[in-house]
Amino acid sequence: MGVSENYKTIIQELESLKPVGTPTLIAVSKFQPKEKVQEAIAGGVIHFGENRVQEGIEKFSDLGKPEKDFILHHIGPVQSSHIRKYAGLYSFVHGVGSQKVLEELKRRMDGDRWKIRYFLQVNLTKEDSKSGFSKEEVLGLLRNKETLSSEFCILEGFMTMGPSSGDPEETRKVFREIAELRKEFCPQGKLSMGMSGDYRIALEEGSDYLRIGTAIFGERT
Ligand SMILES: *Cc1c(COP(=O)(O)O)cnc(C)c1O
């Protein structure tokens, strides 16, 4: 099946499982050729995710107007050196995982006058391979919630990854814990969780943004 058929099949599934408050589906196009992105845009896909800022620039900068023809998300761990490249193209960042990155993001976006919405990455699995804040660190940040957003840099919510084991029960536990954190400490915040292998669990646990690559585009080349 083609890219837009896969996308539509998942959208239909999401709408049938959750007709009210259906999460936003981000088509993760990392490592996929530009032709597939063009095909997806022609088929009505709006939200895309790239994990390498430069790859996203190469693919998307002449595909139309950001925020109008497509909305581009930077997903995965963010390094400070990425941030100066966001202006003019990226609308969302999923994976702000350190104080240093957070400060640089605010400084740059306010300087560039380019609006970005970001997710704090929360790492509950404590796997060394995953970056992000611990739950305690996030609670610390939320104590000064007003400092977390500025004119051009806006806290959208929390992002997490399921455990590498892929175990469904473990995955659900992690997603549920983030959902509870949101409910208790930042009810207006959104949740970015769920990938090809675990998006149904994420949906059940209240995710607002699903980041799905393989199930839409096929295996990465
Ligand atoms: C690659 C990636 C995805 C998509 O993964 P799939 O398993 O292909 O759906 C989602 N989120 C992040 C952070 C990624 O790096």
Side-chain angles (χ1 to χ4, degrees), residues 7-26 47 156 182 190-193 199-200 202-212:
Y7 174 82
K8 279 176 195 142
T9 304
I10 298 176
I11 291 278
Q12 278 164 8
E13 183 192 5
L14 299 175
E15 286 175 348
S16 71
L17 292 170
K18 198 174 181 207
V20 177
T22 312
T24 300
L25 177 51
I26 303 168
H47 290 266
E156 179 78 2
R182 181 251 306 255
K190 301 281 192 280
L191 300 180
S192 165
M193 56 192 200
Y199 71 86
R200 293 182 184 92
L203 176 90
E204 287 166 8
E205 297 303 328
S207 182
D208 301 290
Y209 290 88
L210 306 174
R211 311 177 310 267
I212 299 185

Side-chain angles (χ1 to χ4, degrees), residues 26-32 49-51 74-77 94-95 121 159-161 192 194-199 210-220:
I26 303 168
V28 176
S29 50
K30 66 184 188 194
F31 301 112
Q32 300 290 353
E50 287 283 341
N51 74 333
H74 181 213
I75 62 170
H94 303 240
Q121 182 166 357
M159 176 266 196
T160 201
M161 314 262 282
S192 165
M195 306 175 25
S196 294
D198 55 21
Y199 71 86
L210 306 174
R211 311 177 310 267
I212 299 185
T214 332
I216 295 174
F217 289 101
E219 290 300 325
R220 287 180 273 276

